[in-house]
Amino acid sequence: MSRIPLIVGNWKLHKTIRETSDFCRSLKEELLSGPNGPALREKKAEAAVAPPFTALSAAAQALENSPFHVSSQDAFWAEGGAFTGEISPKMLADAGCRFAIVGHSERRQFFHETDESVNKKAAALAAQGLIPIVCVGETLKERQEGQAFPVVERQIAEGLKGLAGMKPDALVIAYEPVWAIGTGQTATPEQAQEIQAFIRGLLEKIFSGPTAGGMRILYGGSVKADNIAELMAMKDVDGALVGGASLEVKSFARIVNGCIPNK
Ligand code: PEP
């Protein structure tokens, strides 16, 4: 089944409202007036930016009527209530989000995110019609101890519990080996493919074969303009979650251009 390539820029704790608006306007200009403008308008590939919560609305406004989307970097599962500091899926939809990243390794490492909380967040997002981007991936120690497959298997099984009824385009998985995030040490295309094919197999057990075949699995970890093409050449790499290289318009635009199928 054909899957539309997707590139998501995770800005982490970067950019003010003004910087976000300027970035989004320049990104539209850069990509839509370039050689791949028509392909992007025809949705041959998709791109989204994930600014901090404060700048989500500004990004949505700046990208209105364009083929580009907005993602949050996290979400909470409750619709409302006494949860100081949290943001609900309904609020994210209201701010103009289409996607929401959940389970990023930085949230797992620094903010006590667990497979259980990832699962609650993904379910709440899906119920609101938002597309969760569920991040999974092993640490360097886990890889060295031969635990990469069991760790990813547990994160997928626990993180997607109870979500079996989802449609192919309602869920995105991001495989992000923790040792490759922000280190400049990208996984080789073969390493990414090996785990992402494994993830596809896990999705087939949870969802039907055709559904799993239509779900996008992104790779994340030191993706740059000069390595996106070799990663995209892998059968089960359907796009990328990009950190550092998404902060600058030209660099992010080159990555988006690099994921467009040249057929
Ligand atoms: C990320 O934060 O999800 C990420 C992949 O970061 P970087 O591209 O900087 O490694």
Side-chain angles (χ1 to χ4, degrees):
M1 175 182 268
S2 77
R3 299 179 289 267
I4 298 170
L6 170 66
I7 303 291
V8 181
N10 173 19
W11 292 355
K12 312 190 187 195
L13 189 54
H14 295 288
K15 295 197 194 294
T16 61
I17 292 171
R18 179 65 184 270
E19 287 164 349
T20 297
S21 301
D22 290 349
F23 181 106
C24 291
R25 282 195 209 98
S26 306
L27 185 72
K28 275 196 305 192
E29 171 69 25
E30 179 77 23
L31 283 171
L32 297 180
S33 62
N36 289 315
L40 287 163
R41 287 185 201 281
E42 287 165 29
K43 296 244 178 249
K44 298 220 164 112
E46 287 190 301
V49 292
F53 286 131
T54 48
L56 290 172
S57 293
Q61 269 170 35
L63 294 176
E64 209 172 6
N65 299 321
S66 84
F68 308 120
H69 305 292
V70 179
S71 173
S72 68
Q73 299 175 19
D74 192 18
F76 191 60
W77 56 79
E79 223 188 276
F83 301 106
T84 302
E86 295 296 341
I87 307 281
S88 72
K90 190 175 173 188
M91 292 166 183
L92 296 176
D94 187 42
C97 289
R98 178 177 176 82
F99 298 95
I101 299 168
V102 290
H104 191 280
S105 64
E106 287 152 17
R107 303 243 26 116
R108 292 180 190 260
Q109 188 183 348
F110 303 127
F111 302 99
H112 314 294
E113 188 82 90
T114 62
D115 293 331
E116 193 191 349
S117 59
V118 170
N119 181 241
K120 285 173 159 175
K121 290 176 178 188
L125 287 160
Q128 186 61 48
L130 291 172
I131 303 172
I133 302 174
V134 176
C135 301
V136 298
E138 79 287 358
T139 62
L140 183 59
K141 185 166 177 282
E142 288 163 343
R143 175 162 280 259
Q144 285 167 341
E145 289 172 354
Q147 293 301 305
F149 289 94
V151 165
V152 168
E153 183 166 13
R154 188 207 70 225
Q155 290 172 333
I156 291 281
E158 299 293 315
L160 302 185
K161 233 181 218 167
L163 298 181
M166 288 182 101
K167 296 210 163 64
D169 55 1
L171 175 71
V172 174
I173 304 296
Y175 169 57
E176 297 209 302
V178 181
W179 47 271
I181 298 180
T183 60
Q185 192 193 339
T186 320
T188 64
E190 293 72 23
Q191 283 173 319
Q193 170 58 25
E194 186 184 34
I195 300 266
Q196 297 194 198
F198 174 68
I199 293 173
R200 182 90 54 210
L202 297 173
L203 296 179
E204 275 165 16
K205 288 188 203 151
I206 301 172
F207 306 95
S208 71
T211 302
M215 279 176 171
R216 290 177 288 188
I217 307 176
L218 313 183
Y219 166 78
S222 298
V223 171
K224 309 232 163 5
D226 55 13
N227 60 26
I228 184 68
E230 60 189 35
L231 287 160
M232 290 302 296
M234 297 291 114
K235 186 167 164 278
D236 290 291
V237 177
D238 305 315
L241 183 53
V242 186
S246 72
L247 290 171
E248 203 261 314
V249 172
K250 285 207 185 294
S251 144
F252 188 57
R254 282 181 64 207
I255 295 173
V256 175
N257 279 325
C259 87
I260 293 172
N262 43 19
K263 306 154 212 145

